[in-house]
C-alpha cells in the first residue's frame, strides 16, 4: 500500500498521528531501523517539533501542537503494556542536528534513559563498523505482519509475507552490526559532547 503524504496530511497533522494508534496498540514486538531520525517512540517533544515544523507547511500552530501532544501520548507506549522494542540506529542519526543544540542534547539524553528500560534493546551501528550491509531506508516492523517505510513522498505499508521476511532478515543483519550497552551509551554520550 503506497499512500501519498499529501493525502495522509490532508486532515491535519494530528489526524495523521492518531491514525497510527490502533496499529501501535496491537503490536507486541516492534523492530525499528533508522538511518535518518530518532524513531518516533523515542522522540522528545522538542525533537518532534523540529521535525514537524518542516512538514507543517500552512498548518496552524494549534494543529502542530495537538499533533506533537498526540505523538508524545503514543510514544508513552514504551512504558505501558507488555510491548517489546528492538531499535537499531546508524551512528549518523545521533549526529544529525534536527533542532537546536538544546533540543538535541535533550533528545540524546532521553536515549540514555530509555536504553535501560527492561523491554528495550537499543543498538547503534558505529561509523567504524566493518559493513556487510550498507545503510538502507528507515523502516519499522510490527510483529511479523507489517513493515512501514516512510519515503519523501509517501508512506509504504508492506504486508506480503515474503517481503516482510526480507525486512526481518535485513533487520537481523543490521542488528549484528550494532553495539549495545556501554558501547552504545558511549556513542550517545560522544554525540552529546560534540554539541559543544
Amino acid at each position: 500500500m503506497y499512500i501519498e503524504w499529501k493525502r495522509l496530511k490532508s486532515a491535519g497533522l494530528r489526524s495523521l498521528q492518531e491514525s497510527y494508534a490502533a496499529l501501535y496498540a496491537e503490536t507486541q514486538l516492534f523492530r525499528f531501523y533508522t538511518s535518518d531520525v530518532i524513531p518516533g517512540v523515542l522522540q522528545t517533544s522538542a525533537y518532534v517539533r523540529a521535525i514537524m515544523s518542516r512538514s507543517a507547511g500552512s498548518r496552524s500552530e494549534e494543529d502542530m501542537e495537538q499533533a506533537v501532544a498526540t505523538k508524545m501520548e503514543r510514544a508513552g507506549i514504551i512504558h505501558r503494556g507488555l510491548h517489546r522494542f528492538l531499535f537499531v540506529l546508524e551512528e549518523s542519526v545521533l549526529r544529525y542536528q534536527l533542532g537546536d543544540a538544546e533540543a538535541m542534547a535533550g533528545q540524546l539524553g532521553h536515549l540514555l534513559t530509555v536504553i535501560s528500560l527492561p523491554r528495550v534493546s537499543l543498538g547503534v551501528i558505529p561509523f567504524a563498523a566493518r559493513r556487510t550491509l550498507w545503510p538502507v531506508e528507515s523502516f519499522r516492523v510490527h510483529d511479523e505482519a507489517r513493515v512501514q517505510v516512510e519515503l519523501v513522498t509517501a508512506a509504504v505499508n508492506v504486508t506480503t509475507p515474503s517481503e516482510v521476511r526480507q525486512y526481518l532478515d535485513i533487520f537481523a543483519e543490521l542488528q549484528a552490526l550494532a553495539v549495545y550497552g556501554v558501547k552504545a551509551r558511549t556513542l550517545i554520550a560522544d554525540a552529546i559532547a560534540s554539541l559543544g
Side-chain angles (χ1 to χ4, degrees), residues 24 28 45-46 59 81 92 162 193:
Y24 274 65
Q28 291 302 304
S45 57
R59 300 278 177 212
S92 56
S162 62

Side-chain angles (χ1 to χ4, degrees), residues 50 52 64 69 71 74 78 89 116 128 134 145 159 170 175 194 196:
M52 283 191 181
M64 190 167 93
K71 187 165 190 169
R74 188 175 73 242
I78 204 162
L89 286 64
S116 62
W134 57 90
T159 56
I170 291 295
Q175 253 186 323
S194 75

Side-chain angles (χ1 to χ4, degrees), residues 144-158:
E144 295 188 1
R146 176 186 303 254
V147 177
Q148 292 186 309
V149 183
E150 295 182 358
L151 306 175
V152 170
T153 57
V156 177
N157 287 283
V158 178

